[in-house]
Amino acid sequence: MKFAKRVAGTQNAGLNDLYTAPDPQQISFAGGYPDPAMFPQKALQVAMGEAMTNRAAFQYADSWGFRPLRDQLAAMMAADGIKTSGEHLIITQGAQQGIDLTARLMLNPGDGLVVEAPTYLGALAAFNQYEPTYYEAPMQADGMDLVALKKILMTHQVKMIYTVPDFQNPTGAVMSLEKRRALVRLANQFDVLILEDGPYRFLRYEGTTLPPVKVFDTEGRVVFLGSMSKILSPSLRLGWLIADPEIMAGIEALKGAADVESSALIQRAVSQYLSRVDFPAHLAQLRKTYRQKRDVMLDALHCHLPADFTITDPQGGFFLWLQGPKGLDMTALQREVLLPAHVSVVAGRNLSPAHSMVSGARLTFAAPAIGDIEPGVQRLAAALSQGARQVQAR
Amino acid sequence: MKFAKRVAGTQNAGLNDLYTAPDPQQISFAGGYPDPAMFPQKALQVAMGEAMTNRAAFQYADSWGFRPLRDQLAAMMAADGIKTSGEHLIITQGAQQGIDLTARLMLNPGDGLVVEAPTYLGALAAFNQYEPTYYEAPMQADGMDLVALKKILMTHQVKMIYTVPDFQNPTGAVMSLEKRRALVRLANQFDVLILEDGPYRFLRYEGTTLPPVKVFDTEGRVVFLGSMSKILSPSLRLGWLIADPEIMAGIEALKGAADVESSALIQRAVSQYLSRVDFPAHLAQLRKTYRQKRDVMLDALHCHLPADFTITDPQGGFFLWLQGPKGLDMTALQREVLLPAHVSVVAGRNLSPAHSMVSGARLTFAAPAIGDIEPGVQRLAAALSQGARQVQAR
């Protein structure tokens, strides 16, 4: 039996790179895990307990999701600038399913798809299944390179642009206000859908929050994805997708075909949670904790990194980008030097479809315990120095 | 913006037929909902409470699923005849996601896919996204017509066969032992994958349980799907897929790309539940309740149905098939006569890819309250008589 053509690309996406072999001594800067100390365990227990008193929570519901929760999330997004209502918001299995369903809605094999380079590994894994023709728009300090994007749009048929405008995965960069407006103008001009992935939006540690790209959408061509994974708990598998009616009708049909619906039980529990707690205060607490961790990480990196490595300076989110000297193969370095030194990152190789980012890596400051960050960075810096010498010696 | 080609088929799959307009007076024989009185609410509350004491339940885990639960489900399936272990079992979002992922693994556009006629609506909705070339093997009292199947296999390239061998959705039929063996022989001979969907396996109300088709698999070409939706609670969205290693590796990659993983929280709760309760006793209770409902329904139908309608005689599961006279359009009848009479079924039109079953309908006895079944059947029978006269009068 031969598998479908789409499978090869998905199996090779490198998702397993996120899970390095178990090593109790390892300090990992790899997986984009939230700090487990920040899960509001007690409040979620109470909310779940309350949800479970209702027998309807155990039955089938519908593919759209639990309407009170959709209304709550829509209100949260409205406060964030997106004029929407629960009617235009559908619940997904994390933002990952939103990526999958939007790609499924839009992409025939060979259709043009622009991604940032580097970009989120899991998005590429989802996109690969739809066999797009990829184009890379390089990341800059203020977001996607729109000059490069325009060149792509003028010379190729493009169906969709995928962007993480806020605290981008993996660079931590924020797309500037001017670029947000210009991105929508380009999408309008070239009749392209923008998939805006916003799991880190509520995690800004300094500076001014910019409106979502969706706010500038004049023609219903921006799909916004949100998620509770980074700001509440990933095991809730609770994301949301905001889109205009025609797109939404398509997404809802695809959602039903994919897994019927998301868990009504989880949705009711999250709805209970949101109505019982001061969620903005919870977010403020997250920001405080992650800001401290980021500061420790940046200080340590600035102090210890070899001179030929640079890092980005994220104002929020979970990640920063470590850029090594030209010619460095971070994947080999990880295997040969970092892992034996009990430290890990996500090597850049699989973070762009053309494998153009081989000498960089994604580092997270969110997951490791705060006391592990400086020792981990010291190990990392020592290993990088050693590895760079080995690489040069070849 | 134009949607991908695959979307049209999915939007037209008729999944929404399962959800008729809200009508508080309606007695519905349509949706395949379990009886809400049978949800073990208290035991699930306790299990969830226990799961939530562990902080790891809130974090990312992995795409395979919670290993203790995989082992528990594998043991349950081993007791049912499938020699397997947790290693060869992956957790899915209900069996629906198992259907989606297996189709995604196997089907290029145009690939041959055999389905039973009639078959499960949701499976067609999932399959449509992969744009297969459908072939219909008619259902018989002892399962899929294998003479018809062999003819299809001899004259067309077929990649996959989808079957619900136990208490088939929508006919309630059980595939005979001889046919189970012969089906695997044919699959071996023609190099085809068998997708065995078994959500009703544990709901036999009389007669002898037959082994799953997977038991006769000699070449690793049968994928088995199980689900907690009908035997515990649909809102857990907890299904499982059993396959051999090569297929499993592909499924796991696709699962990661589709939604990263299923909820570790839910999985830990179900694992707790299974280790705390006497699950076979729970299943016995379900069988007792549903058997009573089935008996009431069959008695009422035999008593009230017009002479030109026939029904199947299910030994388990949730459904039976109502066959009307040739030329009857059950979809029109539902719209014009049944819904105004406050009773509903699932009309046969969308239950086969060629829309070949227009004069039949799926009825469930699982969802309605036992006291509603006879009055509902009376309404249905009266409406059918009236409708058949109207149809003849045209």
Side-chain angles (χ1 to χ4, degrees), chain A residues 82 102 163 180 183-184 187-188 192-197 212-225 241-244 247, chain B residues 1:
Chain A
I82 300 179
T102 307
T163 181
R180 288 171 197 242
L183 178 63
V184 172
N188 287 345
V192 180
L193 182 139
I194 297 171
L195 180 55
E196 177 181 21
D197 191 4
V213 174
K214 177 72 180 157
V215 167
F216 305 107
D217 186 14
T218 49
E219 300 183 355
R221 57 175 71 253
V222 180
V223 172
F224 178 89
L225 304 180
L241 182 153
I242 297 171
D244 286 49
I247 291 171
Chain B
M1 292 179 300

Side-chain angles (χ1 to χ4, degrees), chain A residues 25 63 67 69 85 99 165 167-168 179 188 205 212 245 249 257 277 304-305 316 318 321 328 338 348 351 386:
Chain A
Q25 290 180 65
S63 304
R67 186 56 194 260
L69 176 63
S85 70
I99 297 173
F167 321 115
Q168 198 243 7
K179 280 193 174 178
N188 287 345
Y205 314 135
V277 305
H304 299 293
L305 263 193
F318 274 21
W321 184 254
L328 182 84
L338 301 194
L351 303 187
Q386 184 200 337

Side-chain angles (χ1 to χ4, degrees), chain A residues 73-96:
Chain A
L73 294 172
M76 188 170 104
M77 297 315 301
D80 190 38
I82 300 179
K83 289 202 182 71
T84 192
S85 70
E87 200 185 335
H88 303 293
L89 184 150
I90 188 170
I91 302 297
T92 58
Q93 288 298 113
Q96 183 72 26

Side-chain angles (χ1 to χ4, degrees), chain A residues 2-7, chain B residues 102-113 126-128 130-133 159-160:
Chain A
K2 253 184 84 174
F3 293 164
K5 276 196 300 169
R6 71 179 70 85
V7 178
Chain B
T102 307
R104 203 184 296 203
L105 183 74
M106 296 305 297
L107 299 176
N108 287 311
D111 276 354
L113 169 63
F127 293 144
N128 286 349
Y130 304 100
E131 304 169 80
T133 302
K159 201 78 178 284
M160 187 159 113

Side-chain angles (χ1 to χ4, degrees), chain B residues 42 90 107 109 115 145 168 183 214 242 258 263 279 301 307-309 328 345 361 391:
Chain B
K42 281 276 177 314
I90 187 169
L107 299 176
V115 296
D145 179 346
Q168 198 241 8
L183 178 64
K214 177 73 181 155
I242 297 171
S263 166
F279 196 56
L301 285 166
D308 46 353
F309 285 81
L328 182 83
V345 300
V391 168

Side-chain angles (χ1 to χ4, degrees), chain B residues 286-356:
Chain B
L286 288 184
R287 284 190 286 260
K288 192 176 153 207
T289 299
Y290 288 133
R291 183 196 168 119
Q292 285 172 347
K293 289 184 154 192
R294 180 203 61 166
D295 289 348
V296 171
M297 182 122 176
L298 288 179
D299 286 352
L301 285 166
H302 287 133
C303 178
H304 299 293
L305 264 192
D308 46 353
F309 285 81
T310 61
I311 53 168
T312 55
D313 185 18
Q315 295 196 314
F318 274 20
F319 305 114
L320 59 84
W321 183 255
L322 170 73
Q323 183 60 50
K326 235 183 171 165
L328 182 83
D329 178 350
M330 192 64 82
T331 304
L333 199 67
Q334 164 117 306
R335 192 178 52 235
E336 294 166 18
V337 188
L338 301 194
L339 293 180
H342 309 296
V343 64
S344 66
V345 300
V346 175
R349 173 179 299 277
N350 291 316
L351 302 187
S352 86
H355 306 292
S356 53

